Amino acid sequence: MKKTAILSLLFFAAIAFGQGIKFEEGNFKSLLAKAKKENKLIFVDAYAVWCGPCKLMVKNVFPLKPVGDHYNARFINAKIDMEKGEGIDLAKKYNVKAFPTYLFINGDGEEVHRTLGYVEEKDFIQFAKDAEDPSKTLPALKQKFEKGENNPEFLKNLAGLTMYNDADFTGRVLDRYFNSKKEFDQEDIQMLFSGIQNVESPLYKTFQTRKADITKLLPVEKYEAFDKNLKLNTIFKNSYNVENKTWNDNYFLTEAQKFLSKEEAEKMLMRAKASRALRNKDFATYEKLSLELYKDYSAAGSEELNSLAWNFFENVITKSSLETAVKWAQESVKKKEEYANTDTLANLYNKIGDKKNAKIWAEKSIALGKAAGQDTTDTEKILKGL
């Protein structure tokens, strides 16, 4: 009887999901050929497995019938992990740097439109309509900008569409936008802070000249802290040679000590090296530097420790280092117990072979996740394997 009920639920879930977007199988080359043959655009959900908003789209939006009806009729739909397989090269080709990113690509492989982030049904369908409207695609909007369009809402929308894949262009858009603003609101400040990469950004001048407007809405201490981070970002950028993957330690320490102590500058450099090593998949260097950085982790926040512990779970195999990561995860849970860090703890215990504690924390994590309305599928898989 119980088995029949489970099968019925699975059948119902399959029907429900079938009403939503139907994603195609096959490699990208075959998708391009199909798109060209059928004279359709390819819709690509460019995601990463760790991305929370990506999972929420899968759970809440993609399965909806109106969404499926619109996308299935008009596009060749594909879900591609941008950190695995051919997704790695596609992420480079289409400059995907934030998740989820939604790409609309024609049969020749040309990007027609893009948007990003978690959105509700109505906006997600509107994205599709914009992709099919030649006057609303990203190339058309860029062309309109180049012809001098200065409507504030237009500029704000265009900046949002390009911020995470074309920083230089976004800087020009926001520069025009802020020149038209007599007063700032909180949304303007958020957009300005998101658009500035470093002190070499064209927006840094706006940041400086409009300090009085910004500090009407933001404490001076936060303004100055952000300014310090921008200066550090510039030093990071100019200290690292991307081509040969080397650091100019002397330059970094000399420049950073203009506003940091020697100890702070050295720690910042070590953090930067660890972060870059992780990005370069140099896991041995990342492991060594992180263990040194977090000898004393009492002052680290819960989220910081959880992120660190999860990175070790995913990329480190040394048992003693994984046991240290367990301590980080335990401290994260101690500071703030939630689904994410209890799941990390369960995974780490499982990886070092402590099945008893893995089971205890997997069960606790699932309970916390379900209470918070989160997707606990991956944690449930761990539990079933114990």
Side-chain angles (χ1 to χ4, degrees):
M1 191 74 178
K2 185 177 179 182
K3 187 175 181 181
T4 304
I6 292 171
L7 288 172
S8 298
L9 285 170
L10 289 173
F11 179 70
F12 177 78
I15 291 174
F17 191 81
Q19 292 177 338
I21 297 179
K22 295 175 183 176
F23 291 100
E24 301 275 342
E25 300 293 334
N27 59 36
F28 193 65
K29 186 176 179 180
S30 67
L31 295 174
L32 287 172
K34 185 172 182 179
K36 199 158 192 175
K37 182 179 178 181
E38 298 182 14
N39 194 29
K40 290 182 177 179
L41 295 175
I42 302 171
F43 161 68
V44 178
D45 170 32
Y47 74 96
V49 292
W50 48 263
C51 164
C54 302
K55 293 178 182 179
L56 288 174
M57 289 297 292
V58 171
K59 180 182 178 182
N60 300 334
V61 180
F62 293 167
L64 298 175
K65 188 176 186 302
V67 171
D69 288 346
H70 195 94
Y71 276 74
N72 295 336
R74 293 167 172 80
F75 305 106
I76 308 298
N77 303 303
K79 279 181 65 65
I80 302 178
D81 185 342
M82 294 286 110
E83 298 182 337
K84 291 181 182 177
E86 66 176 350
I88 296 171
D89 288 332
L90 290 172
K92 291 177 182 176
K93 179 177 180 179
Y94 295 107
N95 203 21
V96 175
K97 295 180 179 178
F99 304 103
T101 289
Y102 313 115
L103 301 172
F104 296 87
I105 299 165
N106 66 24
D108 293 319
E110 299 166 339
E111 179 185 325
V112 171
H113 194 45
R114 78 159 61 203
T115 53
L116 73 161
Y118 179 85
V119 292
E120 299 295 345
E121 174 188 340
K122 182 179 178 182
D123 289 331
F124 192 63
I125 291 174
Q126 186 59 51
F127 287 167
K129 292 178 179 178
D130 290 347
E132 295 177 286
D133 185 341
S135 68
K136 293 182 180 179
T137 61
L138 191 52
L141 297 179
K142 285 186 172 182
Q143 189 177 44
K144 193 173 180 180
F145 170 80
E146 298 296 357
K147 289 181 178 178
E149 178 61 60
N150 60 4
N151 176 274
E153 288 304 314
F154 168 84
L155 295 171
K156 187 190 293 187
N157 176 61
L158 183 55
L161 292 175
T162 60
M163 188 169 290
Y164 297 102
N165 69 293
D166 194 345
D168 290 340
F169 178 78
T170 304
R172 291 172 55 213
V173 174
L174 287 179
D175 187 50
R176 187 181 296 177
Y177 172 76
F178 289 123
N179 283 336
S180 70
K181 295 282 289 187
K182 291 183 178 179
E183 293 186 0
F184 280 12
D185 56 30
Q186 288 286 359
E187 191 175 352
D188 291 333
I189 293 173
Q190 183 179 350
M191 197 158 50
L192 175 62
F193 281 24
S194 298
I196 303 175
Q197 305 298 312
N198 49 58
V199 299
E200 295 169 358
S201 166
L203 291 173
Y204 187 66
K205 183 179 178 182
T206 301
F207 176 78
Q208 290 180 306
T209 59
R210 303 295 289 268
K211 180 179 179 179
D213 294 320
I214 295 169
T215 53
K216 284 180 183 177
L217 301 168
L218 193 74
V220 174
E221 295 79 11
K222 285 193 176 182
Y223 176 93
E224 291 174 349
F226 189 77
D227 192 25
K228 182 188 288 187
N229 284 333
L230 290 175
K231 290 172 182 174
L232 277 171
N233 286 344
T234 309
I235 298 170
F236 289 142
K237 175 176 173 285
N238 295 330
S239 299
Y240 184 71
N241 188 311
V242 178
E243 291 184 6
N244 58 31
K245 299 181 179 180
T246 58
W247 288 88
N248 186 334
D249 291 11
N250 288 333
Y251 169 82
F252 180 91
L253 293 172
T254 300
E255 292 300 311
Q257 285 181 72
K258 291 177 179 178
F259 52 91
L260 295 176
S261 69
K262 182 180 178 183
E263 184 181 354
E264 288 174 325
E266 288 173 344
K267 194 166 186 178
M268 278 290 182
L269 179 58
M270 194 181 296
R271 284 183 180 276
K273 287 184 173 182
S275 177
R276 179 60 68 169
L278 179 62
R279 191 184 308 181
N280 290 343
K281 301 189 185 302
D282 179 1
F283 301 129
T285 299
Y286 173 73
E287 177 183 357
K288 180 182 177 182
L289 291 172
S290 297
L291 290 170
E292 179 65 26
L293 278 165
Y294 289 90
K295 278 183 179 178
D296 178 8
Y297 51 88
S298 57
S302 178
E303 289 186 14
E304 180 182 357
L305 288 168
N306 180 54
S307 177
L308 179 66
W310 182 258
N311 285 336
F312 266 51
F313 163 70
E314 285 196 312
N315 305 305
V316 173
I317 58 173
T318 312
K319 189 171 182 181
S320 60
S321 297
L322 289 169
E323 287 170 345
T324 299
V326 168
K327 293 178 182 177
W328 293 334
Q330 287 172 334
E331 183 67 15
S332 173
V333 170
K334 183 180 176 181
K335 291 184 174 185
K336 185 181 179 183
E337 186 176 276
E338 54 189 354
Y339 170 63
N341 53 20
T342 51
D343 172 70
T344 299
L345 193 49
N347 274 283
L348 281 166
Y349 273 127
N350 190 37
K351 190 166 183 175
I352 64 174
D354 187 343
K355 304 296 182 183
K356 180 181 176 181
N357 273 312
K359 184 174 185 293
I360 290 170
W361 285 101
E363 289 174 340
K364 182 170 285 192
S365 182
I366 291 166
L368 286 168
K370 288 186 173 178
Q374 293 176 289
D375 182 3
T376 61
T377 304
D378 290 341
T379 320
E380 289 171 32
K381 287 178 183 177
I382 296 171
L383 191 58
K384 287 178 183 178
L386 295 171

